[in-house]
């Protein structure tokens, strides 16, 4: 362990690279705020211990291939290092210093000045950049060398250069899960520095710069052994922002490539395998961060891929990562050897570069078998695994982002969107793997997606099965489909078979009907808690599908799903047409023939619930029916609610009724159940069954009740 060093000392005559086994920049706003507050509150005459900086000196055979950095190493004696631990803090420091340089450049009096003419105290902007950020090679100034960066094939390095350090002429810059954090850090520091400058002036910006570069102190430790590098990465990084399992796995796989002996994995093959690991992770993190508004969780992806690729088990928690890191991809599985029988010709082909083997002798003994020792975990297994991860990543992204996705057909997009809206639960691996399986075309995928959607709606939203019902079976089906052990038709048949308990066939009948008793019991509990169908977790999906059916026939979509499911305080997007507090005289007249105890069933039944194209204040629900049909204005003639007559297709349909009373509620409820029958291919036995499910069977004529008895 060396003496404490400041950032100024650490950056003197050193070049830093983040190696390929490292994760990208992982700090989020929470860590940035902590850093900023520590820096602002640190007295200018005090030092602050910042932690351990673990470095590994880069071998000549590696840095000799660094075109842009080699001149500093060979001509000026700079020493190249990989950052093993501390890269999150160093990345933060250089982004902070870049933000300071941009703050200096933005000051009006510096507008037309060159970098060497702009000063922060006694430091010129040119000197600041060259000391911590970037140096151009004289005399041509064609080569631009960054003192801190990533391995050149990492998308984060290009993003850092062009989007953070503002190198011009970027071309296309790939954005990933990690570049979002780089972008956020740059924005965070620019905003805070501008506010700090506006409040305190340039002298306090200079004080912040001095504190960053001179008052924050590191223990700098150089690691000498390659083995220690990988162990240090797994252990040291967990002190800060915990490594994700996907990040740990990448480090582990790269480490394993270093353990094979030369006979089993030659150097060119080792380098190729390492490149394939990097390419796979590059693609994965690109896909995970592709949608800036909704970046995907890396561990969720890793779990799903484990389900697709390996034998699923029902153990809880971190079973998947224990399997990957403690059973499958371990050093022990490389050190442990297994016997492999090869023909002597195969053996000759493998060893001929190293052994003086007679070709003629091999041909004579070509039928003989030679036993050789190979690692239990072969390099080919690692290659196949990382290639599978890479291939799955784009389809994983597509399952989360189906709308306007050119990689999907219109029908695929429609059904995946439905699955996301209804709640895809445990089926996403199966949906993803349908794109990885040979012989599965778009029509078959749509058949699978529609069958999954029907299964979810009937089994979970109506029949109230536990959310884990049959999950192990369909997790295994994902792997079996990928391996060709099951077909789409097999899986669709299974989905249908697993719904048998949801249906019944009466005696002396050939018809099969939906058994609504599970659903009815569930809704009964909701009525007892004061909500009825309004508290059904499938209501929004159901009403939205009813609305979209009308959109498909008439055009003009009027309900935005994101706004429809958005929860706003004191606002509603599904209205009780007959309100829960019916104070208006018209309501009392329309429902006067029914008992007080029966009124909540009219309020909470399915036919009385209406999806609105625009959410309204809940107080507006209490208007009479005629007022609801037309737009409502306040005293300033400002519209405060949209009327049914110019609302969603469902609203327009309801606006077609002259009055809203018990009979119309039952009629609309039956219409909605008829849609349910057609849309999800189920059937209710008769009108009495529908009335019972709607909790309006007390409205039926007496003779209907007697026949039912």
């Amino acid at each position: 362990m060396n003496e404490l060093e400041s950032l100024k000392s650490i950056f003197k005559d050193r070049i830093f690279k983040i190696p390929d086994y490292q994760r990208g920049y992982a700090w989020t706003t929470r860590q940035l705020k902590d850093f900023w507050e520590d820096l602002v509150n640190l007295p200018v005459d005090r030092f602050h211990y910042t932690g351990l900086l673990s470095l590994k000196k880069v071998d000549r055979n590696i840095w000799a291939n660094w075109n842009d950095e080699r001149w500093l190493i060979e001509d000026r004696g700079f020493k190249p290092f990989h950052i093993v631990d501390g890269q999150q803090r160093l990345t933060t420091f250089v982004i902070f210093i870049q933000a300071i340089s941009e703050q200096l450049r933005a000051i009006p009096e510096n507008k037309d000045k060159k970098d060497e003419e702009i000063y922060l105290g006694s430091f010129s902007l040119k000197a600041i950049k060259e000391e911590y950020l970037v140096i151009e090679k004289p005399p041509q100034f064609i080569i631009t060398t960054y003192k801190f960066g990533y391995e050149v094939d990492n998308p984060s390095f290009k993003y850092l250069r062009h989007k953070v350090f503002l190198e011009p002429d970027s071309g296309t810059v790939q954005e990933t899960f990690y570049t979002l954090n780089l972008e956020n850090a740059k924005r965070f520091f620019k905003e805070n520095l501008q506010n700090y400058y506006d409040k305190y002036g340039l002298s306090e910006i200079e004080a912040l710069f001095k504190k960053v570069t001179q008052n924050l102190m590191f223990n700098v430790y150089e690691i000498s052994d390659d083995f220690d590098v990988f162990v240090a990465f797994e252990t040291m990084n967990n002190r800060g922002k915990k490594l994700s399992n996907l990040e740990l796995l990448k480090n582990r796989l790269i480490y394993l490539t270093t353990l094979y002996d030369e006979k089993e994995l030659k150097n060119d093959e080792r380098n190729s395998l390492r490149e394939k690991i990097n390419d796979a992770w590059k693609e994965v993190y690109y896909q995970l961060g592709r949608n800036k508004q909704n970046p995907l969780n890396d561990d969720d992806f890793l779990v799903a891929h484990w389900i697709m690729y390996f034998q699923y088990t029902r153990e809880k928690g971190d079973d998947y990562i224990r399997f990957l890191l403690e059973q499958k991809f371990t050093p022990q599985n490389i050190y442990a050897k297994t016997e492999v029988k090869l023909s002597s010709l195969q053996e000759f082909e493998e060893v001929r570069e190293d052994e003086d083997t007679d070709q003629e002798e091999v041909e004579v003994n070509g039928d003989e078998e030679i036993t050789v020792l190979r690692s239990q975990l072969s390099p080919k297994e690692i290659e196949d695994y990382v290639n599978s991860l890479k291939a799955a990543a784009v389809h994983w992204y597509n399952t989360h982002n189906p709308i306007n996705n050119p990689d999907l057909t219109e029908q695929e997009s429609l059904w995946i969107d439905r699955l996301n809206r209804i709640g895809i639960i445990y089926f996403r691996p199966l949906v993803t793997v349908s794109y990885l399986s040979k012989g599965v075309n778009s029509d078959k995928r749509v058949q699978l997606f529609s069958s999954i959607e029907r299964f979810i709606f009937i089994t979970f939203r109506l029949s109230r099965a536990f959310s884990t019902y049959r999950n192990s079976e369909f997790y295994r089906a994902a792997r079996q489909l990928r391996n060709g052990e099951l077909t789409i038709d097999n899986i669709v048949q299974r989905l249908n078979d697993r719904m048998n308990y949801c249906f019944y066939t009466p005696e002396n009948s050939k018809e099969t009907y939906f058994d609504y008793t599970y659903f009815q019991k569930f809704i009964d509990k909701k009525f007892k808690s004061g909500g009825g169908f309004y508290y059904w977790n499938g209501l929004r999906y159901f009403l939205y599908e009813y609305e979209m059916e009308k959109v498909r026939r008439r055009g003009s979509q009027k309900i935005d799903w994101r706004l429809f499911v958005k929860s706003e305080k004191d606002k509603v997007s599904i209205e009780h047409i007959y309100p829960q507090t019916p104070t208006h005289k018209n309501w009392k007249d329309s429902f006067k023939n029914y008992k007080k105890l029966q009124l909540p069933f009219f309020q909470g039944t399915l036919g009385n619930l209406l999806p609105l194209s625009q959410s309204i204040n809940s107080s507006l629900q209490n208007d009479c029916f005629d007022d609801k049909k037309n737009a409502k204005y306040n005293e300033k003639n400002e519209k405060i609610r949209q009327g049914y007559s110019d609302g969603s297709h469902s609203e327009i349909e309801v606006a077609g009724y002259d009055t809203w009373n018990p009979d119309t509620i039952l009629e609309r409820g039956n219409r909605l159940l008829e849609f349910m029958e057609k849309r999800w291919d189920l059937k209710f036995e008769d009108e009495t069954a529908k009335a019972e499910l709607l909790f309006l069977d007390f409205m039926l004529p007496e003779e209907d009740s007697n026949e039912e008895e």
Side-chain angles (χ1 to χ4, degrees):
M1 195 74 68
N2 299 332
E3 296 180 1
L4 291 176
E5 291 189 48
S6 67
L7 202 67
K8 184 178 180 66
S9 170
I10 288 168
F11 269 76
K12 182 175 175 56
D13 299 334
R14 283 188 176 115
I15 293 174
F16 299 103
K17 288 275 194 180
I18 298 170
D20 59 357
Y21 56 81
Q22 277 273 23
R23 60 173 162 176
Y25 186 59
W27 274 21
T28 58
T29 302
R30 183 176 65 82
Q31 288 88 16
L32 295 171
K33 283 181 177 178
D34 290 343
F35 168 82
W36 175 262
E37 291 171 4
D38 287 345
L39 186 62
V40 167
N41 295 323
L42 178 66
V44 292
D45 57 349
R46 294 280 300 276
F47 295 99
H48 178 71
Y49 177 63
T50 311
L52 177 68
L53 179 63
S54 298
L55 305 174
K56 171 73 166 62
K57 194 168 184 181
V58 179
D59 294 336
R60 183 184 183 89
N61 65 328
I62 295 177
W63 65 254
N65 297 316
W66 295 357
N67 183 70
D68 292 348
E69 295 82 10
R70 196 171 62 243
W71 70 278
L72 280 179
I73 300 169
E74 293 178 337
D75 300 345
R76 297 195 180 181
F78 278 59
K79 295 179 181 179
F81 290 93
H82 277 156
I83 305 169
V84 180
D85 184 36
Q87 69 118 332
Q88 303 293 332
R89 283 160 289 163
L90 282 191
T91 306
T92 304
F93 292 148
V94 296
I95 295 174
F96 179 77
I97 292 171
Q98 172 65 26
I100 283 182
S101 75
E102 292 180 33
Q103 180 66 43
L104 289 175
R105 173 61 67 189
I107 296 173
E109 54 263 35
N110 292 334
K111 181 180 179 182
D112 297 319
K113 292 182 179 179
K114 298 178 180 179
D115 284 356
E116 55 265 33
E117 298 171 335
I118 298 173
Y119 276 83
L120 183 64
S122 60
F123 307 98
S124 74
L125 179 54
K126 183 175 187 293
I128 291 172
K129 286 184 174 181
E130 290 188 345
E131 191 162 6
Y132 299 101
L133 303 175
V134 61
I135 307 175
E136 293 183 325
K137 182 184 178 182
Q140 301 296 334
F141 302 103
I142 293 175
I143 293 179
T144 301
T145 307
Y146 291 90
K147 297 194 69 178
F148 173 91
Y150 298 80
E151 295 287 4
V152 291
D153 63 342
N154 189 319
S156 290
F157 191 28
K158 188 171 185 181
Y159 190 92
L160 190 73
R161 292 195 338 257
H162 294 286
K163 299 299 186 181
V164 177
F165 295 150
L166 304 182
E167 180 182 321
D169 306 322
S170 64
T172 302
V173 178
Q174 188 182 82
E175 297 186 4
T176 75
F177 188 77
Y178 290 123
T179 61
L180 298 179
N181 294 329
L182 292 171
E183 177 185 34
N184 180 57
K186 174 80 174 287
R187 181 174 58 250
F188 176 88
F189 287 131
K190 286 196 69 173
E191 290 174 356
N192 279 276
L193 283 168
Q194 182 64 54
N195 293 336
Y196 207 70
Y197 172 78
D198 292 342
K199 190 172 183 179
Y200 300 111
L202 188 59
S203 61
E204 288 303 308
I205 299 294
E206 180 188 357
L208 290 179
F209 175 73
K210 287 183 177 179
K211 284 192 279 188
V212 162
T213 56
Q214 299 177 30
N215 294 38
L216 301 181
M217 309 299 287
F218 284 90
N219 270 128
V220 180
Y221 177 67
E222 291 190 23
I223 298 173
S224 58
D225 187 85
D226 280 335
F227 173 80
D228 290 337
V229 165
F230 290 97
V231 173
F233 176 74
E234 288 195 19
T235 57
M236 291 177 177
N237 278 273
N238 282 330
R239 293 192 324 255
K241 189 174 188 293
K242 185 175 174 62
L243 287 165
S244 72
N245 291 322
L246 188 60
E247 291 163 339
L248 281 171
L249 180 61
K250 180 190 178 188
N251 170 68
R252 173 64 61 80
L253 293 176
I254 291 179
Y255 170 45
L256 294 183
T257 66
T258 69
L259 301 183
Y260 290 102
D261 60 43
E262 178 70 14
K263 290 182 180 179
E264 189 167 1
L265 191 66
K266 295 178 176 59
N267 278 334
D268 59 341
E269 296 170 328
R270 194 186 318 273
N271 292 335
S272 177
L273 182 55
R274 190 158 174 163
E275 286 176 10
K276 287 179 179 178
I277 295 169
N278 280 314
D279 284 345
W281 259 255
K282 188 190 306 183
E283 178 69 15
V284 167
Y285 281 121
Y286 165 65
Q287 297 297 344
L288 292 177
R290 194 167 155 189
N291 183 341
K292 285 188 178 184
Q293 283 68 47
N294 183 33
L296 305 177
N297 182 278
D298 48 359
D299 282 337
D300 287 348
F301 170 69
L302 186 58
V303 173
H305 184 267
W306 169 70
I307 289 168
M308 301 176 217
Y309 199 83
F310 294 108
Q311 185 63 50
Y312 174 74
T313 65
R314 292 203 63 157
E315 292 186 33
K316 305 292 184 184
D318 292 334
D319 181 57
Y320 78 99
I321 197 62
R322 284 197 301 273
F323 171 80
L324 292 173
L325 294 180
E326 298 175 19
Q327 297 179 46
K328 183 66 178 177
F329 299 114
T330 67
Q332 292 80 3
N333 283 342
I334 292 179
Y335 297 138
K337 304 297 183 181
T338 185
E339 291 185 352
V340 178
K341 290 185 178 181
L342 302 174
S343 71
S344 56
L345 180 58
Q346 287 177 292
E347 179 66 9
F348 169 74
E349 291 293 336
E350 293 191 5
V351 303
R352 63 182 174 182
E353 294 180 7
D354 304 309
E355 305 290 341
D356 184 15
T357 306
D358 192 302
Q359 173 69 50
E360 187 174 343
E361 179 183 343
V362 170
E363 289 177 352
V364 171
N365 299 308
D367 292 334
E368 293 182 7
E369 287 189 337
I370 299 173
T371 299
V372 297
L373 295 178
R374 290 287 184 263
S375 296
Q376 288 185 4
L377 175 65
S378 71
K380 182 63 176 172
E381 286 182 85
I382 295 178
E383 180 194 22
D384 289 345
Y385 176 71
V386 300
N387 285 342
S388 177
L389 271 174
K390 181 179 179 180
V394 64
H395 303 302
W396 184 252
Y397 167 85
N398 290 341
T399 69
H400 286 86
N401 300 276
I403 302 299
N404 298 323
N405 188 322
D407 291 344
L408 305 175
T409 68
E410 183 179 348
Q411 284 297 303
E412 287 172 347
S413 175
L414 171 69
W415 283 101
I416 294 175
D417 180 50
R418 282 171 169 165
L419 288 172
N420 286 328
R421 286 190 283 104
I422 196 174
I424 198 170
I425 51 174
Y426 54 72
F427 284 103
R428 199 175 298 278
L430 182 55
V431 171
T432 302
V433 94
S434 70
Y435 287 92
L436 298 168
S437 304
K438 295 177 181 179
V440 178
N441 60 26
S442 180
D443 290 341
K444 282 295 180 185
R445 281 193 286 269
V446 169
Q447 181 188 358
L448 174 65
F449 303 161
S450 62
S451 296
I452 291 173
E453 189 265 357
R454 179 173 182 261
F455 179 84
I456 293 172
F457 185 78
I458 292 176
T459 306
F460 298 106
R461 300 295 173 258
L462 295 182
S463 298
R464 315 310 302 170
F466 288 117
S467 60
T468 55
Y469 173 71
R470 294 289 175 179
N471 66 337
S472 295
E473 178 179 10
F474 291 107
Y475 279 150
R476 285 193 293 270
R479 179 174 178 268
Q480 291 167 324
L481 179 62
R482 188 184 71 83
N483 291 341
E485 299 166 14
L486 283 179
T487 66
I488 296 293
D489 290 338
N490 297 148
I491 297 172
V492 169
Q493 186 60 51
R494 284 191 185 184
L495 288 164
N496 292 332
D497 290 345
R498 301 306 176 255
M499 287 190 287
N500 284 340
Y501 81 95
C502 304
F503 298 89
Y504 70 95
T505 302
E507 290 185 19
N508 303 319
S509 174
K510 295 181 180 179
E511 294 284 351
T512 298
Y513 301 106
F514 176 63
D515 184 356
Y516 58 86
T517 53
Y518 304 101
F519 188 41
Q520 188 182 37
K521 289 176 182 177
F522 169 78
I523 297 297
D524 183 47
K525 291 179 182 177
K526 300 303 179 184
F527 269 114
K528 289 175 179 174
S529 62
F533 279 88
Y534 190 78
Y535 291 156
W536 172 34
N537 66 345
L539 179 65
R540 276 177 167 74
Y541 182 77
F542 174 74
L543 292 179
Y544 187 82
E545 283 299 299
Y546 182 74
E547 173 74 13
M548 292 304 293
E549 177 63 25
K550 297 183 178 302
V551 170
R552 275 183 283 278
R553 286 191 276 113
R554 303 173 187 171
S556 183
Q557 183 172 338
K558 301 184 178 185
I559 295 180
D560 185 312
W561 174 257
R562 292 168 300 174
L563 299 177
F564 187 49
V565 298
K566 184 179 180 182
S567 177
E568 295 182 86
K569 187 178 180 182
D570 298 327
K571 286 199 169 187
V572 295
S573 54
I574 295 178
E575 178 168 53
H576 295 80
I577 304 170
Y578 170 45
Q580 292 176 296
T581 52
T583 54
H584 199 282
K585 181 178 181 298
N586 287 6
W587 292 125
K588 293 179 180 179
D589 291 343
S590 296
F591 290 83
K592 63 184 178 181
N593 294 331
Y594 288 91
K595 301 173 184 176
K596 186 176 181 181
L597 290 175
Q598 294 171 329
L599 299 184
F601 293 106
F602 290 116
Q603 292 156 352
T605 192
L606 188 60
N608 190 53
L609 300 174
L610 182 64
L612 304 177
S613 58
Q614 295 180 359
S615 59
I616 61 167
N617 291 328
S618 55
S619 60
L620 296 174
Q621 289 194 98
N622 299 325
D623 293 341
C624 71
F625 185 62
D626 286 340
D627 289 343
K628 289 185 176 190
K629 289 200 288 185
N630 301 303
K632 187 171 185 176
Y633 298 85
N634 60 16
E635 295 173 352
K636 299 179 181 179
N637 204 33
E638 298 169 329
K639 186 187 288 187
I640 57 175
R641 79 159 285 163
Q642 185 167 280
Y644 293 164
S645 57
D646 57 354
S648 66
H649 291 292
S650 299
E651 289 177 86
I652 293 171
E653 181 180 77
V654 167
Y657 288 100
D658 293 330
T659 185
W660 197 253
N661 57 34
D663 291 333
T664 52
I665 290 176
L666 178 59
E667 179 187 334
R668 182 167 181 269
N670 282 326
R671 179 177 295 184
L672 289 170
L673 290 184
E674 287 167 6
F675 166 74
M676 185 184 290
E677 289 179 309
K678 183 178 178 182
R679 172 67 174 77
W680 286 280
D681 190 21
L682 54 87
K683 189 174 183 180
F684 296 100
E685 188 169 353
D686 50 32
E687 295 303 307
T688 300
K690 291 179 184 177
E692 286 180 351
L693 179 55
L694 295 170
F695 287 81
L696 298 178
D697 49 310
F698 58 83
M699 293 180 63
L700 297 179
E702 287 294 327
E703 58 268 20
D704 286 3
S705 298
N706 292 333
E707 288 177 10
E708 181 67 21
E709 292 173 4

